[in-house]
Amino acid sequence: MIAFVTRRLAQALLIALGVVTLTFILLHAAPGDPFAAAAESPYLSPQAIEQARRNYGLDRPLWVQYLRYVGNLARGDMGVSFSLHRPVSEALLDALPNTLLLAAAALILDFGLGITVGTLQGMRAGTRLDRTLSIVTLALFSTPVFWLGLMLLLVFSQTLGLFPVGGVTDPVLYPSLSPLGKLLDRLWHLCLPAWTLGLVGAAGTARYQRAAILEVVRQDFIRAARARGLSERAVAMRHALRNALLPTITLFGLTFPVLLSGAVLVETVFSWPGMGKLTVDAVLRRDYPLVLGATVLAALMVVLGNLLADLAYRVADPRTREER
Amino acid sequence: MNPLLSVRELTVGFETPKGPVRVVDGVSLELAEGETLGLVGESGSGKSTLALSLGRLLDEPPAFIDPGSRIEYAGVNLLALDPERLRTYRGKAIAWIFQDPASSLDPVIKVGHQIAEAVCAHSDVGRKAAWNRAVELLALVGLNDPRDAAHCYPHQLSGGMRQRVAIAAALAGEPKLLVADEPTTALDVTLQAQILALLGDLRERLGMALLLITHDLGVVADIADRVAVMYAGRLVEEGGKEQVLKQPAHPYTEALLRATPRLHRTGPRLPAIPGAAPDPTSWPSGCRFHPRCRYAWDRCSSEEPSQLSGETGRWVRCWLATEPQRRRG
Ligand SMILES: Nc1ncnc2c1ncn2[C@@H]1O[C@H](COP(=O)(O)OP(=O)(O)OP(=O)(O)O)[C@@H](O)[C@H]1O
Ligand code: SF4
Ligand SMILES: [Mg+2]
């Protein structure tokens, strides 16, 4: 187990390096430059801009910039953001908790709802309930995240006024709220973004879980369990569900990157100050250090998510448990 | 005395893209308490379908059971019960063990738990008591370290041990009838003998009736009291073990015996019965065995014989019973 984790962490570092390199190349291949906008400005002299470029090391050859970045990164230094004028690591650390909160809430909805609905469907395959839910999940699954976000916003915030339009907390009231009030305020703001992200994910998970259940229930041990006189409930919850969860756990590893990319859209729609919003803004401003930093962090999170899924699988399936 | 199990005109089939096929067709049989009936027939004759339909364990649809069928256990028609009532009969009245011991156990649950949950399904005992009972059952089926074995997952046990575990789980509800569908086919020869001996022993000790399904007459010769022979969805012959094995009345039984080297040491040994097993989508007309029967004459292909009885409990579905002079050599 320990050897396995070590090996995977080493892999994670290699992946991170690959991601950094690729992002670096893409950033510099893309048209535009952090000071393109500044060059148009009548208030800045070309000399001043040249000076700024030199300060940020942008006048050096690309490969020098690259080596220097990787070298600094290895020492934990992610550089200073061009646009925010503060260390990248600070900006990321500010945004990360918001994204993690959103992702965690969405994950709970995604898997909680998806597994429940998918199991229900699989155990009652072919019934009206199953067919209706299949249509619903297919529709949801094919819905673009940002569109769903906008619709929820339109209905629940604009029209019904039930939820805030965006942000993490109420900008005016928050400081004056009691601790409990603060928590509720945060949850209240979290609702729509989390549901947006969670619903689309849940639809996919439900379809996956339904298929997994169908795959399991035609196996002999389910019939054998019934033949021993177990109730349908026991057969479903103890045998079908448990076995069907194995493939779904591996889905968890795949869901994580989808969730992060979904978070980019959702955070933009709901003005949620997380990693997604930070990254989008950084890309638009050609803020190289911030884009690179955010990408590295996202890559590490994806690798970590996969690692967690693999570990969970090993714990859940006794057949893989003893292997080193 | 009333029989323990009485099956009357049982017809079971499957909906297929080509239309419904009747895989078990008008089968009637009886089992007394403590009795062992061997049900013999080649692959595809409908034995497993029959076995599963006894507890409505087939998925309906695609399977269907003809409404005219009756399956009576101790006088109760199981086909008329609602699902929850029927559940209480599964495992407690009738229990099953299947061909492949590897696939009849849940791969992710400890075998002790799988037996214990079957114990709990039929009696109001606590978790601890159920676990202890599971260990007892594992000892009963001859596992050497039942306490350790209970903590194993199925993949940690050998094939023979897994089949013993499956038997223990089947015994958890203290059934009166054990249906064993080719319980040894997936095992190697030495294990086959051990498992058969175990079944015979358990049957005796626990006073269970046993419906032993096999395509191997040798197995039947070892532990059955009576034998029923199945061909193409129909029972074609039934009688005491000695009678059927020594004086087979149906040409199909005769051919099966000739293909079983252990029982038939003299005369030509045939590896299998010539001709292909019939297709359930279109059973042959008349006697379903006629395309492969060495005695067949014109009547056989036009008219199906009914169950023609000899002595009590002994009958055959073959026209030869009316014209014995046609049987030569
Ligand atoms: N779900 C199903 N749908 C359609 N046909 C089926 C289905 N299950 C079984 N059959 C058919 O029913 C027939 C009898 O099958 P069954 O398994 O009862 O035979 P068997 O005597 O147990 O054979 P074996 O010795 O191979 O176990 C076969 O021809 C099979 O193709
Ligand atoms: S009825 Fe005819 S075809 Fe059928 S088994 Fe008897 S002799 Fe053979
Ligand atoms: Mg079979």
Side-chain angles (χ1 to χ4, degrees), chain A residues 220-221 228-229 238-239 243, chain B residues 87 90 103-104 106 117 122:
Chain A
D220 290 345
F221 67 81
R228 284 173 210 139
R238 224 162 326 162
H239 297 282
N243 279 276
Chain B
R87 182 189 76 73
R90 292 178 184 156
S103 63
S104 60
D106 188 327
E117 74 175 349
H122 299 290

Side-chain angles (χ1 to χ4, degrees), chain B:
Chain B
M1 195 186 75
N2 275 335
L4 182 68
L5 178 77
S6 160
V7 175
R8 289 272 154 265
E9 289 299 319
L10 176 63
T11 296
V12 189
F14 295 97
E15 303 288 351
T16 70
K18 291 190 232 160
V21 292
R22 298 163 148 229
V23 164
V24 172
D25 202 351
V27 166
S28 299
L29 55 81
E30 284 186 357
L31 234 97
E33 237 167 85
E35 185 183 36
T36 298
L37 174 66
L39 181 65
V40 194
E42 66 192 336
S43 186
S45 54
K47 306 179 300 291
S48 297
T49 307
L50 170 61
L52 292 169
S53 66
L54 294 181
R56 292 202 104 153
L57 289 168
L58 294 159
D59 292 324
E60 302 171 37
F64 61 85
I65 298 183
D66 189 274
S69 315
R70 282 182 82 78
I71 298 171
E72 279 182 10
Y73 175 87
V76 179
N77 185 7
L78 299 185
L79 294 179
L81 296 180
D82 62 72
E84 180 49 30
R85 291 277 294 152
L86 181 61
R87 182 189 76 73
T88 61
Y89 281 79
R90 292 178 184 156
K92 193 172 183 72
I94 311 179
W96 287 260
I97 53 177
F98 301 104
Q99 177 168 344
D100 185 357
S103 63
S104 60
L105 296 170
D106 188 327
V108 303
I109 297 181
K110 287 179 179 176
V111 298
H113 282 305
Q114 298 193 49
I115 301 171
E117 74 175 349
V119 171
C120 290
H122 299 290
S123 57
D124 239 339
V125 296
R127 289 173 143 265
K128 190 88 193 68
W131 180 269
N132 289 338
R133 178 74 187 131
V135 173
E136 270 173 43
L137 284 165
L138 286 173
L140 182 71
V141 297
L143 283 186
N144 285 334
D145 297 307
R147 237 162 252 288
D148 294 342
H151 285 287
C152 287
Y153 290 94
H155 75 277
Q156 296 169 314
L157 302 172
S158 68
M161 283 164 90
R162 268 180 266 185
Q163 190 59 303
R164 285 172 195 266
V165 170
I167 294 172
L171 296 179
E174 300 178 10
K176 287 275 186 46
L177 166 61
L178 184 62
V179 178
D181 187 0
E182 313 220 24
T184 61
T185 311
L187 305 173
D188 70 47
V189 184
T190 40
L191 285 176
Q192 284 187 8
Q194 287 177 20
I195 296 290
L196 273 184
L198 173 68
L199 282 177
D201 178 48
L202 288 171
R203 189 194 66 85
E204 209 149 291
R205 273 206 273 172
L206 307 175
M208 290 184 299
L210 184 62
L211 176 58
L212 181 69
I213 295 175
T214 171
H215 57 248
D216 183 354
L217 277 171
V219 167
V220 162
D222 284 340
I223 62 174
D225 302 318
R226 276 190 306 128
V227 179
V229 182
M230 194 163 184
Y231 184 80
R234 288 221 185 265
L235 289 191
V236 295
E237 169 165 15
E238 193 185 333
K241 173 177 75 181
E242 298 289 317
Q243 296 167 312
V244 174
L245 295 186
K246 296 243 165 67
Q247 290 151 349
H250 199 282
Y252 174 62
T253 318
E254 206 180 281
L256 267 184
L257 274 166
R258 202 169 292 134
T260 311
R262 228 175 100 209
L263 292 176
H264 193 89
R265 288 181 207 284
T266 55
R269 263 186 210 173
L270 303 178
I273 304 165
D279 173 11
T281 50
S282 56
W283 295 126
S285 63
C287 168
R288 289 179 181 178
F289 188 54
H290 86 257
R292 300 166 79 184
C293 179
R294 57 202 290 233
Y295 307 114
W297 69 98
D298 40 4
R299 186 182 188 183
C300 302
S301 57
S302 59
E303 211 182 330
E304 182 170 27
S306 55
Q307 300 188 354
L308 305 166
S309 43
E311 314 132 52
T312 34
R314 170 105 176 107
W315 57 261
V316 63
R317 194 188 274 279
C318 170
W319 291 127
L320 282 176
T322 58
E323 296 183 48
Q325 74 282 1
R326 284 183 179 268
R327 191 191 291 266
R328 341 143 228 138

Side-chain angles (χ1 to χ4, degrees), chain A residues 62-311:
Chain A
L62 261 191
W63 64 272
V64 176
Q65 291 185 39
Y66 172 76
L67 284 183
R68 197 194 261 176
Y69 182 78
V70 174
N72 287 339
L73 189 64
R75 273 178 274 122
D77 178 5
M78 296 176 127
V80 175
S81 158
F82 296 168
S83 59
L84 304 175
H85 310 293
R86 58 193 291 225
V88 168
S89 47
E90 267 181 32
L92 289 178
L93 277 183
D94 275 355
L96 187 63
N98 287 334
T99 293
L100 285 184
L101 182 69
L102 176 59
L107 258 186
I108 291 170
L109 285 173
D110 179 333
F111 279 83
L113 215 60
I115 287 170
T116 311
V117 170
T119 304
L120 194 70
Q121 280 187 274
M123 294 310 292
R124 306 220 196 301
T127 59
R128 255 246 299 275
L129 177 75
D130 173 39
R131 275 175 291 155
T132 315
L133 286 173
S134 278
I135 294 170
V136 174
T137 54
L138 182 63
L140 265 177
F141 188 56
S142 358
T143 307
V145 174
F146 72 92
W147 186 83
L148 181 65
L150 287 175
M151 286 303 125
L152 292 181
L153 205 58
L154 198 69
V155 175
F156 290 99
S157 302
Q158 309 281 48
T159 312
L160 299 175
L162 291 175
F163 291 98
V165 209
V168 186
T169 53
D170 191 305
V172 182
L173 291 177
Y174 189 76
S176 62
L177 290 172
S178 66
L180 180 66
K182 283 185 171 162
L183 182 69
L184 290 178
D185 186 56
R186 277 178 179 275
L187 288 177
W188 187 51
H189 279 78
L190 181 61
C191 270
L192 283 189
W195 274 98
T196 306
L197 205 48
L199 265 184
V200 175
T205 306
R207 298 184 73 76
Y208 201 82
Q209 175 74 6
R210 177 183 184 272
I213 288 273
L214 287 183
E215 182 63 29
V216 171
V217 291
R218 55 186 193 79
Q219 294 194 31
D220 290 345
F221 67 81
I222 294 290
R223 175 176 283 159
R226 277 201 187 105
R228 284 173 210 139
L230 300 197
S231 64
E232 274 311 295
R233 207 186 128 74
V235 172
M237 299 306 289
R238 224 162 326 162
H239 297 282
L241 178 58
R242 258 175 101 149
N243 279 276
L245 278 181
L246 295 180
T248 307
I249 289 175
T250 46
L251 184 68
F252 178 86
L254 298 174
T255 303
F256 212 65
V258 178
L259 214 61
L260 282 183
S261 57
V264 172
L265 299 168
V266 171
E267 288 178 4
T268 309
V269 172
F270 290 94
S271 333
W272 188 265
M275 295 263 301
K277 198 163 174 327
L278 192 71
T279 314
V280 171
D281 292 347
V283 170
L284 292 178
R285 292 182 187 144
R286 294 291 181 280
D287 190 339
Y288 295 162
L290 192 51
V291 174
L292 282 169
T295 314
V296 172
L297 189 57
L300 284 180
M301 273 159 60
V302 167
V303 173
L304 220 63
N306 268 311
L307 181 60
L308 280 182
D310 280 2
L311 286 177

